[in-house]
């Protein structure tokens, strides 16, 4: 828990969120400003500022984040048409919240490369 972190406050229930999934390790909720018809964020409950802050001790946690994202994408009905995962990192990566989060986006064609 980082005291001044928005997503730690969401995990703690101090800031409301539209929960999709929760267990001991990860928490998933709808993005407040969706960029696609289905836009969910999945985060580790452990505070990691960004993906590059992870180390070897986080190997299982990062694996779980992806595997749970797969389950969520399936539960959202995105599997057949496809979906996109995004982890923005740092300023040029467009990161605005410094608690690691994986965007799960689908429900429309998104093209490549992104704008
Ligand atoms: P990023 O730009 O990758 O750091 O993504 C941060 C994401 O968090 C953005 O897509 C925001 O819309 C989303 N976001 C910010 N505040 C909240 C909130 N209180 N609840 C849900 N999503 C949020
Ligand atoms: Zn945090």
């Amino acid at each position: 828990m980082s005291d001044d972190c928005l997503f730690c406050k969401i995990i703690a229930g101090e800031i409301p969120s539209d929960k999709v999934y929760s267990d001991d390790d990860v928490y998933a909720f709808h993005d407040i400003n969706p960029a696609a018809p289905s836009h969910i964020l999945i985060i580790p409950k452990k505070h990691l500022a960004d993906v590059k802050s992870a180390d070897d001790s986080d190997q299982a946690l990062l694996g779980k984040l992806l595997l749970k994202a797969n389950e969520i994408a399936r539960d959202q009905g995105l599997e057949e048409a496809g979906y996109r995962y995004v982890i923005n990192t740092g300023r040029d990566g467009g990161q605005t919240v410094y608690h690691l989060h994986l965007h799960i986006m689908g429900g429309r064609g998104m093209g490549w490369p992104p704008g």
Side-chain angles (χ1 to χ4, degrees):
M1 171 89 188
S2 172
D3 285 344
D4 55 357
C5 172
L6 174 66
F7 286 175
C8 282
K9 287 179 181 161
I10 283 179
I11 292 164
E14 293 168 15
I15 291 175
S17 65
D18 188 2
K19 181 173 93 174
V20 173
Y21 177 82
S22 180
D23 65 24
D24 286 348
D25 302 311
V26 303
Y27 187 79
F29 55 106
H30 288 279
D31 196 292
I32 203 168
N33 185 23
S38 183
H39 188 172
I40 290 165
L41 303 175
I42 182 166
I43 64 179
K45 288 196 169 174
K46 173 183 176 180
H47 179 82
L48 288 168
D50 50 27
V51 73
K52 66 182 161 54
S53 300
D55 63 25
D56 285 353
S57 72
D58 300 309
Q59 185 170 327
L61 182 59
L62 293 187
K64 182 164 181 178
L65 201 71
L66 269 182
L67 292 172
K68 283 296 168 192
N70 288 351
E71 285 181 20
I72 290 166
R74 188 190 62 218
D75 292 348
Q76 295 289 318
L78 301 176
E79 214 168 54
E80 192 194 338
Y83 47 89
R84 178 171 294 164
Y85 292 159
V86 172
I87 300 178
N88 294 324
T89 307
R91 186 191 61 234
D92 281 1
Q95 186 173 8
T96 58
V97 178
Y98 280 79
H99 180 127
L100 171 60
H101 49 281
L102 173 75
H103 296 257
I104 304 167
M105 293 185 290
R108 66 168 172 85
M110 279 173 280
W112 189 261

